[in-house]
């Protein structure tokens, strides 16, 4: 009989991991994240073309994206606290049900027989709870040993790359072959399947299985990228999907093969400075960019900076989060991206219409140069004896 003060033993079944066991739950979490991200990039592949078909311009598209960001900004902390109190199963299920409602509205907006503009403006209603990544991060953090945590969270970056590749390809290909309603319908079915899997196999509560977000930097250019790819690069839906798939492939390679090795050799401070320096150089190159080939050449530097920054912020946040408040912290951290999406699309749409694509490079260069100077002026912390 195990004493009250004895450490928790992980067997094949426990209240925190259910019948699948800890490795099975972690693997299922990766699969659910990949499923959700695949649907997300299918949506990205059709949204700018749908808005254009419905007669909306780039500024209207920016307003719509701003609404998405504002609702996610409000919903992040709420969902994080909900996940802490109700557990991973309820949070995952709610996320997939909200996503199902979103794709149902999106599929209806694609139908010529229905009021497309009104339905498109109704799609943000469930967006506040479409935040699977913070829930997945909470689940992984709860179920991982401290020494496993950096690698376990890093694999979520691989899930992001896989979702970007397959979602962009499926979204562009299905919309070209079967119309824009097809990707939305496929995403609806996939999210319903995700809700069933979450409710069936994700344990009610993962707290206590282990003691222990990623602020994805989305600059003005990345927020406005769907419009840029359509107007500036003159790409159709399928071609834009191929470009995003290339982006996802780069992320998988850099996240899986490069960043992990660098994080073992260099400090978090050095990696943070390197990532910001990368953003500075990419911003300068972006200001001189004139076609899609130039963008493909600067993509590796952009992806390296994104991945390096994600690894550093993951590590820093992990050290500051307790097991009881993991979901709340990750929910708060998840508001960083929606905050950018709230301010970025409207501002980006106005800047793009007034000054064109080079303005994104100028803004990125100037802001990150200031950040780099601040980081360089900070004193290096001394190691304790």
């Amino acid at each position: 009989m195990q004493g009250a003060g004895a450490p928790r033993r992980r067997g094949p079944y426990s209240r925190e991991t259910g019948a699948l066991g800890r490795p099975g739950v972690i693997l299922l979490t990766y699969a659910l994240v990949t499923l959700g991200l695949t649907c997300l990039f299918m949506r990205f592949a059709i949204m700018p073309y749908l808005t254009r078909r419905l007669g909306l311009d780039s500024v209207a598209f920016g307003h719509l994206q701003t609404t998405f960001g504002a609702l996610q900004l409000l919903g992040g902390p709420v969902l994080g606290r909900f996940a802490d109190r109700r557990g991973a199963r309820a949070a995952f299920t709610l996320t997939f049900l909200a996503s199902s409602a979103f794709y149902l509205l999106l599929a209806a907006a694609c139908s010529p027989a229905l009021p497309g503009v009104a339905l498109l403006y109704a799609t943000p209603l469930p967006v506040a709870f479409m935040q699977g990544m913070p829930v997945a991060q909470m689940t992984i953090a709860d179920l991982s040993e401290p020494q496993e945590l950096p690698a376990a969270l890093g694999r979520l970056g691989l899930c992001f790359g896989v979702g970007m590749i397959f979602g962009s390809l499926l979204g562009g290909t299905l919309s070209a072959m079967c119309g824009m309603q097809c990707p939305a319908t496929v995403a609806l079915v996939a999210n319903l399947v995700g809700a069933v899997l979450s409710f069936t196999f994700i344990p009610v509560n993962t707290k206590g299985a282990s003691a222990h977000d990623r602020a994805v930097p989305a600059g003005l250019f990345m927020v406005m990228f769907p419009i840029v790819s359509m107007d500036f690069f003159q790409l159709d839906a399928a071609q834009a999907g191929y470009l995003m798939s290339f982006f996802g492939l780069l992320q998988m390679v850099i996240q899986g093969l490069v960043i992990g090795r660098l994080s073992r050799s260099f400090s978090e401070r050095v990696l943070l400075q390197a990532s910001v320096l990368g953003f500075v150089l990419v911003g300068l190159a972006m200001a001189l960019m004139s076609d899609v080939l130039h963008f493909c050449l600067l993509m590796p530097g952009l992806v390296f900076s994104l991945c390096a920054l994600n690894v550093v912020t993951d590590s820093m946040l992990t050290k500051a989060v307790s097991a009881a408040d993991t979901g709340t912290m990750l929910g708060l951290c998840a508001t960083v991206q929606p905050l950018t999406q709230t301010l970025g699309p409207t501002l980006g749409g106005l800047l793009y219409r007034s000054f064109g694509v080079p303005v994104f490079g100028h803004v990125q260069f100037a802001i990150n140069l200031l950040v780099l100077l601040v980081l360089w002026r900070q004193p290096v912390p001394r190691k304790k004896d």
Side-chain angles (χ1 to χ4, degrees):
M1 184 173 179
Q2 191 174 4
R8 185 187 306 272
R9 181 183 177 187
R10 289 205 183 101
Y13 179 92
S14 70
R15 187 176 66 177
E16 292 86 5
T17 58
L20 290 180
R22 186 173 67 95
V25 173
I26 291 177
L27 184 62
L28 177 60
T29 300
Y30 289 139
L32 290 174
V33 169
T34 304
L35 179 66
L37 289 169
T38 300
C39 296
L40 176 68
F41 283 99
M42 288 172 66
R43 159 193 148 193
F44 288 165
I46 65 173
M47 281 291 286
Y49 300 93
L50 176 61
T51 55
R52 181 62 54 85
R53 192 185 77 177
L54 294 174
L56 304 177
D57 59 12
S58 60
V59 176
F61 177 80
H63 292 330
L64 189 62
Q65 296 299 100
T66 296
T67 306
F68 287 153
L71 289 173
Q72 283 196 314
L73 179 66
L74 297 174
V78 176
L79 185 62
R81 176 51 64 183
F82 177 82
D84 279 333
R85 292 183 177 274
R86 299 295 182 181
R89 175 188 294 176
F92 260 127
T93 304
L94 176 61
T95 295
F96 278 109
L97 289 177
S99 299
S100 300
F102 170 84
Y103 289 110
L104 177 62
L105 290 170
L106 185 61
C110 295
S111 174
L114 297 174
V117 175
L119 288 168
L120 184 64
Y121 277 108
T123 54
L125 293 177
V127 163
F129 301 108
M130 292 171 56
Q131 307 200 42
M133 181 63 81
V135 179
Q137 289 172 319
M138 181 199 75
T139 305
I140 296 298
D142 287 342
L143 297 178
S144 298
E145 299 287 359
Q147 64 272 18
E148 301 172 350
L149 190 53
L153 290 174
R155 294 187 192 103
L156 288 174
L158 297 179
C159 297
F160 191 90
V162 173
M164 182 182 291
I165 291 172
F166 286 102
S168 301
L169 285 175
L170 284 173
T173 303
L174 289 177
S175 62
M177 295 177 59
C178 308
M180 282 183 282
Q181 194 173 34
C182 182
T185 305
V186 171
L188 167 62
V189 175
N191 277 275
L192 290 174
V193 171
V196 173
L197 291 175
S198 300
F199 187 79
T200 305
F201 294 109
I202 294 294
V204 175
N205 183 28
T206 56
K207 303 297 181 184
S210 176
H212 284 276
D213 178 12
R214 187 175 61 170
V216 180
L220 290 175
F221 178 79
M222 296 307 296
V223 171
M224 294 300 297
F225 181 74
I227 294 296
V228 172
S229 64
M230 182 170 57
D231 289 347
F232 185 72
F233 294 148
Q234 296 293 309
L235 303 179
D236 58 28
Q239 292 170 332
Y242 298 148
L243 183 60
M244 292 302 295
S245 296
F246 174 59
F247 192 97
L249 181 61
L250 278 177
Q251 179 168 4
M252 288 180 61
V253 172
I254 293 176
Q255 181 85 31
L257 300 179
V258 178
I259 300 299
R261 296 181 181 181
L262 291 178
S263 64
R264 291 191 293 268
S265 303
F266 298 95
S267 66
E268 293 175 350
R269 177 187 175 89
V270 171
L271 283 178
L272 183 60
Q273 291 173 340
S275 67
V276 177
L277 178 60
F279 284 126
V280 171
L281 297 176
V282 169
L284 183 60
M286 194 179 295
L288 304 174
M289 179 178 64
S290 61
D291 56 36
V292 69
L293 177 60
H294 294 165
F295 180 64
C296 290
L297 293 177
L298 62 85
M299 255 190 180
L302 178 61
V303 173
F304 168 79
S305 296
L306 290 170
C307 292
L309 187 59
N310 289 338
V311 169
V312 172
T313 52
D314 279 342
S315 178
M316 290 179 174
L317 292 171
T318 299
K319 295 174 182 177
V321 171
S322 64
D325 295 320
T326 308
T328 303
M329 173 62 78
L330 293 175
L332 289 171
C333 295
T335 62
V336 174
Q337 182 179 2
L339 178 61
T340 308
Q341 291 178 337
T342 301
L343 303 175
T346 299
L347 178 60
L350 293 173
L351 290 175
Y352 176 63
R353 188 169 63 178
S354 301
F355 303 103
V357 170
V359 71
F360 299 127
H362 294 145
V363 172
Q364 179 171 317
F365 172 80
I367 293 177
N368 284 280
L369 183 60
L370 291 175
V371 173
L372 184 63
L373 293 175
V374 171
L375 290 175
W376 235 281
R377 289 177 61 87
Q378 289 182 344
V380 178
R382 296 181 179 179
K383 293 183 180 180
K384 295 181 180 181
D385 296 333

